[in-house]
Amino acid sequence: MDSIIVRGGVPLHGQIPIAGAKNACLALMPATLLSEEPLTLTNAPRLSDIATMKTLLESLGAEVTAMAGGRVLAMSSHGLTTTRADYDIVRKMRASNLVLGPLLAREHHAVVSLPGGCAIGARPMDIHIDALTHLGAEIELRDGYLHAVAKGGLRGARVPLRFASVGATENTLMAATLARGTTVIENAAREPEIVDLAHCLRRMGARIEGEGTATITVEGVDRLNGATHPVVTDRIELGTYMLAPVIAGGEVECLGGRIDLVAAFVEKLHEAGVEVEETATGLIVRQNGTRPRAVDVVTEPFPGFPTDLQAQMMAMLCTAEGVSVLEERIFENRFMHAPELMRMGARIEVHGGTACVTGVERLRGAPVMATDLRASVSLILAGLAAEGETVVSRVYHLDRGYEELEKKLSAVGAQVERVRAS
Ligand code: UD1
């Protein structure tokens, strides 16, 4: 398995281009299943999770062609061959469950494997099931698979979500576009990736109002057409690279960055004394000489502080001045990076869903192990602040969500190098 070696203590200067959002692309790709006409996505990120979704769609009979080095995905679902999403693919990635809503809407039946356990918590599917049941689907769990049928097609309805789940909102939104009548999703998730999905579906002819608010209204149509849609900027990649100069010192412009995508996060950076400037081309982050101040963070659904930036923020707070309290409210068991950061000299105490970080002046390089996608990158960030060499192993997690990480960080002066397993 590959590992990444980081030699810390070098201030960063330059620009980092931010890719299209992995999580938006993973929801946009299954939208192809809703139409017989082609759907083309531009600004797609080049990541292994996107390759997994491609494989899944192809296994259903869709055609997915990656062009322009993977930046453009041309998809067509005119001839689906099956409505069964197999465990072998679904187990690799939870977002595979996003084919359920579209398949039910278009084909009126689907068999989708349950995603199985995930390192960051139980992540059940009850909200998805409840929502699609409101739209008239009958869903049974047999042999580890969800067997879903909508006799005569889905029917629009009022769909209250018990929690503003991102995936359940996306599945329901896609399903509702082809349902008969009006659907009102209440307590909908408001993430930018959902807004992006709604924009794409509207380009395909769907009738949607209220995306980005807690109530989304969808007027079902008989069919959707083809479209071309650019994937929104990845706010998590953006936030991750914005933290790099805060940790290592220096000044970096994240190209394509927008404050509205990361407002709650930027508010915390300001509170920590970090300078963030919006330019015509992106966001500039500056940290010259001084240590950032400790801040308290609570993760919440959008527009709150994103859980997907919690590990990276913790890496930054390890060398901040003072004591920070981080509360994780979205996933249980999402502090697996804490013991690894402690191996680098961080002072962290974890009690259930709360972590208390006492900032130290300096971290020290150490061999550490990546446990999930965001945890992995937090260890790389911490390595930028550490004295000596940090070796992060099991970095395959990183390739799921960060394209060319070594290249992007090296371009701004970081000493980061991948060692390929022989
Ligand atoms: C998406 C993101 C993920 C991010 C998460 C929260 C994608 C591909 N992934 O994941 O990176 O961390 O949003 O912002 O977009 N839950 C239930 N029952 C359900 C569904 C969810 O209890 O049926 C719980 C989960 O266990 C979790 C919480 O709700 O504790 C949030 O999950 P959800 O918003 O659905 O996240 P995902 O869509 O899986």
Side-chain angles (χ1 to χ4, degrees):
M1 270 180 274
D2 293 2
S3 35
I4 288 186
I5 300 179
V6 188
R7 290 179 194 91
V10 190
L12 309 179
H13 289 278
Q15 297 179 318
I16 300 182
I18 306 301
K22 167 181 84 80
N23 286 351
C25 199
L26 288 175
L28 291 162
M29 291 173 76
T32 183
L33 300 171
L34 291 165
S35 173
E36 299 209 338
E37 292 177 26
L39 173 63
T40 300
L41 299 176
T42 59
N43 195 35
R46 293 175 288 200
L47 301 167
S48 64
D49 270 9
I50 301 301
T52 303
M53 183 58 86
K54 178 176 185 288
T55 307
L56 174 59
L57 294 174
E58 285 169 344
S59 78
L60 300 171
E63 288 164 25
V64 183
T65 311
M67 300 185 304
R71 279 273 169 265
V72 175
L73 297 171
M75 302 177 289
S76 167
S77 302
H78 60 88
L80 296 181
T81 49
T82 173
T83 55
R84 182 184 169 92
D86 232 59
Y87 177 64
D88 268 353
I89 305 175
V90 177
R91 73 184 165 83
K92 290 190 189 154
M93 185 180 70
R94 179 177 164 84
S96 304
N97 63 28
L98 294 173
V99 300
L100 178 60
L103 284 175
L104 256 180
R106 164 118 168 245
E107 301 291 326
H108 305 173
H109 53 85
V111 179
V112 176
S113 168
L114 273 184
C118 172
I120 59 171
R123 304 181 90 179
M125 284 282 290
D126 60 310
I127 306 173
H128 299 243
I129 296 169
D130 188 58
L132 295 170
T133 305
H134 272 82
L135 296 181
E138 285 171 27
I139 305 181
E140 252 180 60
L141 173 64
R142 265 183 280 133
D143 323 320
Y145 282 78
L146 293 174
H147 295 253
V149 182
K151 284 194 197 102
L154 293 171
R155 294 182 303 274
R158 191 182 141 248
V159 183
L161 304 184
R162 78 163 167 83
F163 174 80
S165 152
V166 174
T169 302
E170 291 165 344
N171 246 332
T172 313
L173 176 59
M174 287 192 274
T177 58
L178 293 179
R180 245 178 306 124
T182 308
T183 297
V184 181
I185 309 174
E186 295 172 0
N187 195 25
R190 291 176 280 171
E191 271 67 3
E193 293 75 27
I194 287 165
V195 174
D196 200 38
L197 175 63
H199 287 173
C200 175
L201 293 169
R202 209 179 277 130
R203 282 192 160 112
M204 295 169 73
R207 295 176 57 191
I208 301 169
E209 269 174 36
E211 73 275 10
T213 75
T215 308
I216 305 180
T217 306
V218 186
E219 206 72 59
V221 295
D222 288 340
R223 56 179 296 281
L224 292 179
N225 43 260
T228 297
H229 176 81
V231 179
V232 69
T233 298
D234 196 317
R235 65 197 166 97
I236 305 302
E237 192 195 24
L238 170 64
T240 302
Y241 288 126
M242 285 174 75
L243 284 170
V246 181
I247 287 173
E251 178 174 325
V252 168
E253 182 177 19
C254 292
L255 297 173
R258 284 177 5 217
I259 295 268
D260 63 307
L261 293 174
V262 281
F265 168 74
V266 168
E267 210 172 285
K268 286 292 158 190
L269 289 187
H270 284 153
E271 217 180 299
V274 176
E275 211 181 307
V276 179
E277 185 194 329
E278 193 161 25
T279 65
T281 42
L283 297 178
I284 294 182
V285 180
R286 267 183 216 105
Q287 186 72 14
N288 292 323
T290 55
R291 274 166 74 189
R293 289 189 291 273
V295 289
D296 294 340
V297 173
V298 179
T299 64
E300 282 169 333
F302 193 86
F305 191 99
T307 173
D308 286 351
L309 283 174
Q310 178 259 110
Q312 301 89 313
M313 192 71 175
M314 185 188 280
M316 186 276 266
L317 294 173
C318 286
T319 49
E321 228 168 337
V323 178
S324 308
V325 177
L326 288 103
E327 199 183 322
E328 174 55 59
R329 290 208 188 149
I330 307 294
F331 292 110
E332 73 268 32
N333 197 19
R334 205 178 194 183
F335 285 133
M336 283 163 312
H337 40 285
E340 299 299 313
L341 291 168
M342 286 159 75
R343 291 173 49 75
M344 300 172 70
R347 283 180 61 197
I348 306 169
E349 277 174 57
V350 176
H351 299 287
T354 304
C356 188
V357 182
T358 305
V360 296
E361 200 141 330
R362 186 153 281 302
L363 296 176
R364 286 180 306 276
V368 287
M369 200 184 311
T371 48
D372 72 48
L373 171 53
R374 309 302 171 187
S376 331
V377 86
S378 77
L379 299 174
I380 307 254
L381 287 178
L384 297 175
E387 219 163 64
E389 202 172 87
T390 300
V391 183
V392 185
S393 55
R394 290 207 185 163
V395 293
Y396 56 86
H397 293 291
L398 269 182
D399 301 326
R400 293 185 44 207
Y402 292 91
E403 60 170 53
E404 302 185 320
L405 173 118
E406 314 90 274
K407 204 169 143 193
K408 288 188 183 186
L409 283 175
S410 304
V412 293
Q415 296 193 3
V416 178
E417 179 192 339
R418 181 179 293 242
V419 179
R420 304 229 173 245
S422 48

